[in-house]
């Protein structure tokens, strides 16, 4: 690194007398950062090495943005380059601030610390901004000029992340409208004309007749005086625009509910606390007290009288309150399942080739693949291990062009992030292709880095079941091969437990050696070759992996399917995508779940329907990555078949009639969340996923009518009934599409939820894209009822 750069990147002492050192309060910090500071953005340019780009960064608190100048400030510092690109980042999309060396680029710098080029990049001045996974943005790696400046940014942004997360849905919605207003106000006048409001409404999927548009515009335009020589009678301020927009949000469907439950109080229609109690009891199937209902009213009523709801206040409550979510918010935040049962009794959120960020042949390997998966609640990650240079094992997809990362860096990331989203055990699924020497190095790293986190010791030979998640809190389990009894590490053993059934037999049948050091770290997740469902030598801690082709064949034979479900009551099975899926596409995940398969590994980096289902399946139980299977998937004595004709005793496991009324929608986005284009013509596909008896039933696939030219508040009022044979395994999928006369219909957003988590009553279902991005404020308004039948 050139001397000028070295001086800039060397930490300066905290005795520096400047604004940063004197900034003590959050307000002071934000005031400093509104003016901005210089930071160095680090980028890895591959063969050209690591480059630094000097930029001035500052906070735009009005629009909640982190802005930077793409000017040629870097020309003052030898070695810095100039780049072009986006000039801001959304603070709403920042999920975390990391300090020290904790990203791929900084790990690379740390591992090459002896190189003079990197020696002066200090852990005391670096930080990284990590974006929510659904934003599809790489981390932003930055270096400050001194430690005080670094701490200033870290403290302020960390606080902002917490503040933004705590915004109510209503405040978020107001912020969404204000941002839309400011984008439309291209000349920064602070006002929008009637024509500008018309254009903005079209962008937001609102289509009104000219007379209606003018009526609502004039009604919101309360200040018609002169201002700066503008004809104020023809423009709306930001607050007036919000008033205009909320007037448009009148909902006939909600008005009907209001009319059913309102009281007449001195001629004014309002919903009292007593009437709200009745609404919750009759419609929502939730008993609330008088005090709770008064608190609900106080939080959402828009008038000064906060003892009862007006129609507007009731509408605000139904649209914005978390109480109205189709999934109970407590289910998403709190562990409710019994966590003291054997590990084999749970579905476990699992990732395949966790290190990849793209396809299986030429994609990049990244530490962030692990960090993102772990933060999403994944509890089983894959480490594909190979011999690396300098005696250090590496992780990558063997015999391909994907990039490589160090095994020890992955273990470090698992230590730091393994228990951020869940305290229940983390499984490291090791695919071992290393020499004995590097296997020993792997074992050393696992022991030295994880320390007491690593669950060690022999499995209890006297036990008959696996330990529970509760017994393994904050523990890491190693899933790999062990040396068979009587074998040493010099002996060859079969390596066909994880062989992909799509490969030819010659590649499957190979011999490997297993280092004793690594073997000794394997206990309760002992990978073995599958010898059949009637294997008398199978131990409770043995687990086997199955490719999707082999798994599908089990389902083709009812007897094999039944045996598979019985096997999964006691032992763990891992299902993984076929080798032909070189594009990182995913297998159909639900079928394996219906057989009780615990570890169904998905490519988390792929934006598809299967990942939508996976996120939905593990959205409950506090998002801890473990979900307790129903009793018939835990007890082998219960007659059950995951193939056709489920065979369940209906007295104990009754069928369910699920009634779903698609009432209305709100803010349906345009294709790919575009700002331009025509107003959409939305309709909804409504499907049941789950057991074959339910999924294969054509009556469990419905479709609403098309609503023309209305993505703002389409009204459907269509009711569908679904008769579910195995409701414990059923999942409701809503897929909103834009009807096209000339081409294929575009996907606008989806919602999926296990039927077991659906709340009854009038509920709002948020829409997501396949990356998992919440398309706020888009949602579908539903009415759900459940009726069990023997």
């Amino acid at each position: 690194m050139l001397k000028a750069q070295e001086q800039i990147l060397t930490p300066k002492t905290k005795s520096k007398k400047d604004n940063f050192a004197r900034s003590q309060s959050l307000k002071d910090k934000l005031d400093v950062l509104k003016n901005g500071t210089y930071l160095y953005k680090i980028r890895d340019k591959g063969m050209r090495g690591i480059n630094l780009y000097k930029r001035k960064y500052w906070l735009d608190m009005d629009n909640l943005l982190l802005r930077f100048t793409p000017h040629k400030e870097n020309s003052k510092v030898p070695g810095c380059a100039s780049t072009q690109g986006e000039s801001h980042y959304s603070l709403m999309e920042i999920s975390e601030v990391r300090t020290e060396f904790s990203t791929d680029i900084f790990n690379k710098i740390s591992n090459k610390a002896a190189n003079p080029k990197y020696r002066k990049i200090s852990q005391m001045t670096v930080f990284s901004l990590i974006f929510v996974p659904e934003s599809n943005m790489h981390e932003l790696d930055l270096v400050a000029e001194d430690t005080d400046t670094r701490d200033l940014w870290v403290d302020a942004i960390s606080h902002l992340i917490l503040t933004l997360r705590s915004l109510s849905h209503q405040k978020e919605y107001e912020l969404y409208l204000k941002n839309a207003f400011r984008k439309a106000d291209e000349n920064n006048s602070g006002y929008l004309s009637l024509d500008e409001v018309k254009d903005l409404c079209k962008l937001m999927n609102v289509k009104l007749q000219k007379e209606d548009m003018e009526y609502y515009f004039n009604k919101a335009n309360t200040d018609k005086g002169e201002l700066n020589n503008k004809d104020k009678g023809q423009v709306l301020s930001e607050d007036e625009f919000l008033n205009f927009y909320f007037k448009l949000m009148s909902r006939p469907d909600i008005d009907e509910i209001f009319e059913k439950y309102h009281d007449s109080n001195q001629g004014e229609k309002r919903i009292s606390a007593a009437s709200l109690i009745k609404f919750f009891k009759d419609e929502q199937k939730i008993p609330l007290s008088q005090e709770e209902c008064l608190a609900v009213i106080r939080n959402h009523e828009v008038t000064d009288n906060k003892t009862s709801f007006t129609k507007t206040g009731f509408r605000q409550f139904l649209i914005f309150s978390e109480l109205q979510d189709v999934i109970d918010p407590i289910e998403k935040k709190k562990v409710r399942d019994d966590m003291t049962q054997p590990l084999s009794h749970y579905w476990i959120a699992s990732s395949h080739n966790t290190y990849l960020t793209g396809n299986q042949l030429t994609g990049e390997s990244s530490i962030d693949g692990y960090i993102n998966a772990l933060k999403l609640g994944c509890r089983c990650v894959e480490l594909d291990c190979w011999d690396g240079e300098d005696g250090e094992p590496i992780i990558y997809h063997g015999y391909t062009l994907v990039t490589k990362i160090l095994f020890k860096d992955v273990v470090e990331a698992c230590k730091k992030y393994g228990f951020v989203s869940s305290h229940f055990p983390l499984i490291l699924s090791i695919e071992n292709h290393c020499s004995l020497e590097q296997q020993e190095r792997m074992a050393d790293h696992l022991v030295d880095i994880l320390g007491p986190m690593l669950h060690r010791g022999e499995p209890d030979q006297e036990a008959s079941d696996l330990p529970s998640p509760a017994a393994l809190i904050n523990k890491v389990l190693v899933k790999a091969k062990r040396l068979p009894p009587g074998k040493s590490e010099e002996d060859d053993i079969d390596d066909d437990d994880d062989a992909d059934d799509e490969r030819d037999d010659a590649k499957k049948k190979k011999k490997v050696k297993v280092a004793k050091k690594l073997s000794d770290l394997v206990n309760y997740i002992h990978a073995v070759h599958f010898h059949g469902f009637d294997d008398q030598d199978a131990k409770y801690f043995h687990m086997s992996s199955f490719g999707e082709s082999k798994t599908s064949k089990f389902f083709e034979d009812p007897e094999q399917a039944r045996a598979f479900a019985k096997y999964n009551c006691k032992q763990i099975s891992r299902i993984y995508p076929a080798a032909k899926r070189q594009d990182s596409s995913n297998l159909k995940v639900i079928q394996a779940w219906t057989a009780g398969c615990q570890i169904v590994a998905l490519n988390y980096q792929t934006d598809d329907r299967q990942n939508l289902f996976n996120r939905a399946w593990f959205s409950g139980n506090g998002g801890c990555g473990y979900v307790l299977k129903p009793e018939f998937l835990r007890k082998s004595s219960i007659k059950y078949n995951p193939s056709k004709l489920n065979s369940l005793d209906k007295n104990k496991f009754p069928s369910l009639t699920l009634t779903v009324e698609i009432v209305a929608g709100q803010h349906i986005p345009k294709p790919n969340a575009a700002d331009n284009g025509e107003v959409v013509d939305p309709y909804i596909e409504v499907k049941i996923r789950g057991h074959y008896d339910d999924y294969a039933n054509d009556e469990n696939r419905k479709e609403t009518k098309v609503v023309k030219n209305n993505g703002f508040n389409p009204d459907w009022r269509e009711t569908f009934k679904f008769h579910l044979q195995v409701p414990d395994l059923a999942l409701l999928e809503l897929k909103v599409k834009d009807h096209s006369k000339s081409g294929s219909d575009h996907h606008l957003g989806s919602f999926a939820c296990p039927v077991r988590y659906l709340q009854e009553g009038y509920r709002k279902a948020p829409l997501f894209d396949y990356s998992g991005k919440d398309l706020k404020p888009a949602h579908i308004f539903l009415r759900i009822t459940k009726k069990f039948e023997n």
Side-chain angles (χ1 to χ4, degrees), residues 477-533:
L477 297 173
V478 174
K479 176 239 147 192
K481 282 187 166 299
R482 281 177 61 92
L483 283 171
K487 296 283 188 179
S488 75
E489 59 184 24
E490 296 301 324
D491 295 318
D492 291 332
I493 62 174
D494 290 332
D495 182 34
D496 54 356
D497 63 294
D498 289 331
D500 193 320
D501 53 276
E502 300 292 336
R503 296 175 182 167
D504 61 62
D505 290 340
K507 290 183 179 179
K508 282 198 268 185
K509 296 177 180 178
K510 59 180 180 177
K511 302 287 185 179
V512 297
K513 296 182 186 295
V514 176
K516 186 176 186 303
K517 258 191 179 183
L518 184 60
S519 173
D520 288 347
L521 300 182
V522 180
N523 35 60
Y524 288 113
I525 315 290
H526 176 186
V528 300
H529 174 60
F530 177 67
H531 291 286
F533 296 123

Side-chain angles (χ1 to χ4, degrees), residues 38 45 55 554 589 591 603 692 734 782:
Y38 284 100
K45 304 297 288 186
R55 298 283 182 266
F554 288 153
V589 67
Q591 185 185 53
N603 292 298
Y692 180 89
L734 307 178
L782 309 172

Side-chain angles (χ1 to χ4, degrees), residues 509-702:
K509 296 177 180 178
K510 59 180 180 177
K511 302 287 185 179
V512 297
K513 296 182 186 295
V514 176
K516 186 176 186 303
K517 258 191 179 183
L518 184 60
S519 173
D520 288 347
L521 300 182
V522 180
N523 35 60
Y524 288 113
I525 315 290
H526 176 186
V528 300
H529 174 60
F530 177 67
H531 291 286
F533 296 123
D534 56 355
D535 181 10
Q536 298 301 312
D537 295 326
K539 306 292 186 182
Y540 71 92
F541 49 82
H542 287 171
M543 66 83 61
S544 295
S545 294
F546 305 91
E548 63 175 295
S549 177
K550 187 170 186 177
T551 304
S552 296
K553 288 177 182 176
F554 288 153
F555 283 89
E556 294 171 4
D557 181 344
E559 289 302 316
Q560 289 278 336
R562 167 74 186 102
F564 196 24
K566 186 175 181 179
Y567 170 90
N568 288 322
C569 291
K570 190 174 189 65
Q571 291 169 273
I572 289 178
S573 64
R574 171 180 170 267
I575 314 302
Y576 58 93
K580 65 182 179 181
R581 295 186 180 274
Q582 296 174 353
D583 59 350
S584 292
S585 59
N586 280 308
L587 55 81
K588 292 184 178 181
V589 67
I590 295 178
Q591 185 185 53
W593 285 333
T594 67
C597 300
Q598 299 86 356
I599 299 176
V600 185
L602 292 185
N603 292 298
Y604 270 47
Q605 76 274 21
T606 303
D607 302 337
D608 64 4
R609 176 180 266 164
Q610 302 308 315
N611 266 309
L612 172 78
F613 296 160
N614 193 64
R615 286 187 291 268
W617 204 255
F618 292 99
S619 61
N621 203 33
C624 74
Y626 284 82
V627 172
L628 185 65
K629 299 188 291 186
E631 187 180 11
F632 57 82
L633 287 176
R634 306 195 308 263
K635 293 184 178 180
S636 59
S637 60
I638 297 176
K639 190 177 182 181
Y640 166 73
N641 199 318
S643 186
K644 301 176 184 179
L645 304 176
N646 60 85
S647 307
L648 286 172
D649 180 355
K650 294 305 177 184
N651 290 318
K652 190 170 185 179
F653 303 103
S655 300
L656 174 74
T657 297
L658 174 69
T659 304
V660 179
E661 181 183 0
I662 307 293
V663 182
Q666 194 84 50
H667 287 292
I668 307 301
K670 294 179 180 179
N672 301 313
D675 288 333
N676 50 20
E678 295 300 316
V679 174
V680 297
D681 302 329
Y683 70 97
I684 304 177
E685 293 177 349
V686 188
K687 296 180 180 179
I688 295 295
R689 307 282 179 173
H691 189 278
Y692 180 89
D693 290 347
D694 293 323
Y695 174 63
N697 183 355
D698 290 339
E699 293 300 312
N700 286 340
R701 302 177 187 185
K702 309 289 186 180

Side-chain angles (χ1 to χ4, degrees), residues 65-294:
L65 299 174
L66 170 62
R67 294 190 180 275
F68 66 91
T69 55
H71 298 160
K72 297 181 180 179
E73 307 283 352
N74 49 303
S75 61
K76 301 175 184 177
V77 182
C80 285
S82 175
T83 61
Q84 300 296 323
E86 293 294 323
S87 59
H88 65 262
Y89 299 91
S90 171
L91 294 174
M92 299 286 286
E93 293 187 327
I94 299 175
S95 65
E96 177 189 2
V97 184
R98 295 185 200 161
T99 55
E100 304 179 350
F101 293 158
S102 55
T103 61
D104 291 333
I105 289 179
F106 285 136
N107 280 330
K108 181 178 290 189
I109 291 172
S110 175
N111 293 325
K112 298 182 178 180
N115 189 328
K117 181 178 180 182
Y118 307 124
R119 192 175 298 154
K120 295 297 184 179
I121 299 181
S122 167
Q123 293 202 56
M124 301 302 295
T125 60
V126 305
F127 66 103
S128 303
L129 302 183
I130 310 301
F131 298 90
V132 293
E134 55 267 25
S135 72
N136 291 320
M137 294 177 63
H138 289 293
E139 66 274 9
L140 176 61
D141 295 299
L142 299 166
V143 182
E145 293 187 348
D146 55 72
T147 302
D148 289 324
T149 305
R150 191 278 302 271
D151 291 344
L152 184 69
W153 280 102
V154 170
D155 291 346
I157 295 182
S158 296
H159 175 83
L160 287 172
I161 292 172
L162 292 175
T163 303
L164 293 175
R165 285 177 182 168
S166 66
L167 285 173
S168 70
H169 292 313
Q170 188 166 341
K171 293 297 182 184
E172 282 185 345
Y173 187 69
E174 289 178 2
L175 182 61
Y176 160 80
L177 294 178
K178 288 179 180 180
N179 286 336
F181 178 94
R182 291 165 189 167
K183 285 182 180 179
D185 182 20
E186 294 182 355
N187 61 358
N188 296 317
S189 68
Y191 299 97
L192 295 182
S193 67
L194 177 59
D195 287 340
E196 287 175 319
V197 169
K198 286 179 182 177
D199 291 341
L200 178 55
C201 285
K202 183 179 179 182
L203 290 177
M204 301 175 75
N205 263 331
V206 180
K207 188 167 186 177
L208 293 175
Q209 297 295 325
K210 179 181 178 182
E211 296 79 9
D212 292 335
M213 178 70 73
E214 292 175 351
Y215 169 79
Y216 285 112
F217 183 94
N218 290 327
K219 194 169 183 178
N221 188 10
T222 55
D223 181 6
K224 293 183 169 58
E226 293 292 325
L227 184 64
N228 295 334
N229 297 321
K230 283 181 175 286
D231 183 358
K232 181 61 182 67
Q234 299 299 318
V235 294
L236 297 183
S237 67
E238 186 176 274
D239 288 339
E240 288 173 334
F241 173 73
L242 262 63
N243 184 39
F244 161 84
Y245 206 79
F246 279 119
K247 294 288 186 186
L248 294 183
M249 288 179 62
S250 60
R251 292 264 298 272
D253 53 295
I254 294 178
D255 293 346
E256 290 178 9
I257 305 170
F258 181 85
E259 290 297 322
K260 182 177 179 180
Y261 287 96
H262 76 78
D263 305 288
S264 293
N265 184 12
Q266 298 179 349
E268 183 181 11
K269 293 180 178 180
R270 298 181 77 107
I271 291 181
S272 65
S275 294
L276 192 59
I277 290 173
K278 180 175 174 56
F279 168 76
F280 274 109
K281 179 183 177 183
D282 295 350
E283 303 288 355
Q284 311 300 82
K285 312 302 181 187
I286 298 176
L288 288 190
S289 67
Q290 178 94 357
E291 292 75 18
E292 288 173 311
C293 286
L294 285 171

Side-chain angles (χ1 to χ4, degrees), residues 402-417:
V402 302
T403 57
K404 304 171 178 67
I405 52 180
L406 290 177
F407 174 83
K408 67 176 182 179
D409 289 341
V410 171
V411 179
E412 288 278 10
C414 289
K415 177 183 179 180
K416 186 171 183 179
Y417 293 93

Side-chain angles (χ1 to χ4, degrees), residues 257-258 260-262 271-300 309 313-326 328-329 759-764 781 783-785:
I257 305 170
F258 181 85
K260 182 177 179 180
Y261 287 96
H262 76 78
I271 291 181
S272 65
S275 294
L276 192 59
I277 290 173
K278 180 175 174 56
F279 168 76
F280 274 109
K281 179 183 177 183
D282 295 350
E283 303 288 355
Q284 311 300 82
K285 312 302 181 187
I286 298 176
L288 288 190
S289 67
Q290 178 94 357
E291 292 75 18
E292 288 173 311
C293 286
L294 285 171
V296 168
I297 293 170
R298 281 196 300 271
N299 288 338
H300 296 280
F309 267 142
F314 185 63
R315 184 183 68 217
Q316 299 290 90
F317 157 67
L318 287 183
I319 292 176
F320 297 116
S321 174
E322 269 196 333
L323 283 172
Q324 296 308 110
D325 289 353
V326 71
D328 182 357
Q759 295 197 103
E760 293 191 82
Y762 289 99
R763 303 292 177 181
K764 55 182 171 49
F781 195 51
R783 188 183 189 188
I784 304 288
T785 58

